[in-house]
Amino acid sequence: MSVHRIMGLETEYGISAPADPHANPVILSSQVVNAYGITVMPDRPKRLKWDYDVESPLRDARGFDMSRSDADPSQLTDDDYGLANLVLFNGARFYVDHAHPEYSSPEVTNPRDAALWDVAGDRIMEHSAAIASKLTGQLITAYKNNTDGKGVSYGTHENYQVDRATAFTSLVRYLTPFFVTRCVFAGAGRVGRGQEGLFPGFQISQRADFFEAEVGLETTLRRPIINTRDEPHADPSKYRRLHVIIGDANMSQRATYLKMGVTSLVLSMIEDNFLDFDLTLFDPVSAMHQVSHDYNFEKVLGLQSGKTITALEIQHMYIEKALEYVATKGIHDEMTLDVLGHWSRQISALGSNKMSLISEVDWITKLAVLEGYRHRDHSQWDDPRLAAVDIQFSDLRGDKGLARVMQSKGRMETMFTDLEVSNAVKHPPADTRAYFRGMCMRTFTNEIAAASWDSVIFDLDPELPLTRIATVDARKGTKSLTEQFFKPGCSAQDLVSAVESQ
Amino acid sequence: MSERESIQRQPQRQDQESDEVGVVTNKAAQTFDVSDLLDEIDTVLEENAEEFVKSFVQKGGQ
């Protein structure tokens, strides 16, 4: 009944070798992931596998399995053996997905930790690109964004553990208007409109133009506002893992925190059957595009009821319900009230003085810089310098990335100290199964054959079969439950014997 | 780090632009001086913007 729930973020990064525009991105991606592995985890098992047995990307939440022959090849993500794959000491997965390096954060229990382990991923990505650049002798750069502006998009996906008892139809009904308008506080800004960027101008969201369906299983084409993938990585009778693909990659730490926190709060209200309004949009996909393009908040959206409403009014209605929710349920949780306070303040500011959010909302920071250049240089929206600002905003290098530079100069707010971030790079959260996974990887590196979200597989003896330790419950495997297994003097065999005897 | 100035102005016409270099207004009551920020960004921005943008090509992801 708050912003707390099991959650996590997966980010596909843009990757580039500026001196070699035709470099193969699959190879570049493998190079950066492997470079990190070689340098930071030199003792890791050389062919660490991901335990794919329990993954089923073709299972649809609406209750059927898509047959493999009907699927587009890009959906068969569990067949990509041989690509670089690391399970990190902080419990994250760092690997190659399609033609991008991807960081899948460790599971966390709250939006602040989600944002912290997300920033850790950015540092890991930055560091990997730097090491790979040295090792290959060519500069490799990485970007936390979602499009190349020429027709291609890649994702920043959120995952939320939701009660299985909540009807999927409720999720669709109450999440759609929220997701269609969420970019007003969570968007990262984009120069260019249309999937290929053929139309000059600015828009709030990197991803919006790439969405073409209301509900669906696909993630690489016909992208849906509500994704129905049903791989819970948990007890399927109790939990669903809601997989959200509409979000932009955020450089603002506050934006990541609020994106995750507000969505979690909205999910709580849906789980508790607290929402009763009818905000069903007449055409959610068109509405999503319009909201993104309408960065001066001048347009209205049509509801199926025939009424019209603005994007900010839709967000206001969710905020009013959330205020009622915390009052009615007597919620005093500090983080929940903090998330609600910021969300409410930002939506109000968007309606009256949006540029005042320059230091905390990515698209407004980006717009301020772009408008600054437009005024100073008298440029039009199709000036390549503006597109360069857009791309370089998300460059992960501390000395070259525009957002990173603005953060170091105090022009963009941050939530975490360098020390907190470097701890999150090295250590897992203490309160989920990521702790067990990360500590196994650090402590018993050479004895792990494979790992996944819900298992760690030990190879204790070449003469004997592998031992699979299941980690089905994301709230177990915590520090308080398992830290005794990682003390000096404890062996992997001790751990396995203790777990097997339970 | 330079101070940001908050100047209350009369509400402006839609999309009215300021004549002052580096000052951003957009139907807002406040102005934000980004001119020093632009100077900083100028020093790190990729030099050949057109080349840089043209060569930034990605493959589709999820």
Side-chain angles (χ1 to χ4, degrees), chain A residues 12 14-15 25 97-100 143 147-148 150 152-155 157 207 219-220 223 229 296 298 353-356 368-369 372-373 375-376 384-385 387-388 391-392 399-400 402 406 409 411, chain B residues 1-2 4 14-15 17-18 20-30 32-46 49-50 52-62:
Chain A
E12 290 177 310
I15 188 93
D97 188 11
H98 297 88
H100 299 268
Y143 300 84
T147 179
D148 62 2
K150 301 169 183 71
V152 154
S153 186
Y154 34 101
H157 298 169
R207 283 282 268 180
T219 55
T220 57
R223 291 182 179 89
R229 178 179 293 179
N296 287 319
E298 292 162 329
N353 182 13
K354 68 178 192 281
M355 300 313 283
S356 67
V369 172
Y373 274 110
H375 287 275
R376 193 189 74 175
R385 205 148 202 235
I391 297 167
Q392 209 174 327
D399 58 342
K400 291 282 274 177
L402 303 185
M406 285 192 277
K409 309 242 178 220
R411 302 302 288 253
Chain B
M1 181 175 71
S2 61
R4 263 201 334 240
Q14 264 185 29
D15 294 330
E17 292 169 358
S18 165
E20 293 174 55
V21 167
V23 177
V24 179
T25 65
N26 196 344
K27 293 174 57 176
Q30 285 183 285
F32 294 91
D33 187 356
V34 295
S35 54
D36 57 338
L37 182 55
L38 296 189
D39 291 340
E40 277 161 20
I41 292 177
D42 274 341
T43 65
V44 297
L45 196 59
E46 291 291 333
E50 191 163 352
F52 169 61
V53 171
K54 212 160 67 152
S55 65
F56 185 76
V57 175
Q58 299 294 309
K59 287 275 192 301
Q62 298 187 57

Side-chain angles (χ1 to χ4, degrees), chain A residues 429-444:
Chain A
D431 54 359
T432 70
R433 63 187 173 194
Y435 177 83
F436 180 75
R437 179 187 320 121
M439 291 301 288
C440 281
M441 287 305 302
R442 177 184 287 281
T443 317
F444 305 121

Side-chain angles (χ1 to χ4, degrees), chain A residues 448-466:
Chain A
I448 311 280
S452 72
W453 303 115
D454 34 24
S455 69
V456 180
I457 301 181
F458 286 85
D459 183 0
L460 296 173
D461 187 328
E463 307 293 309
L464 296 175
L466 302 175

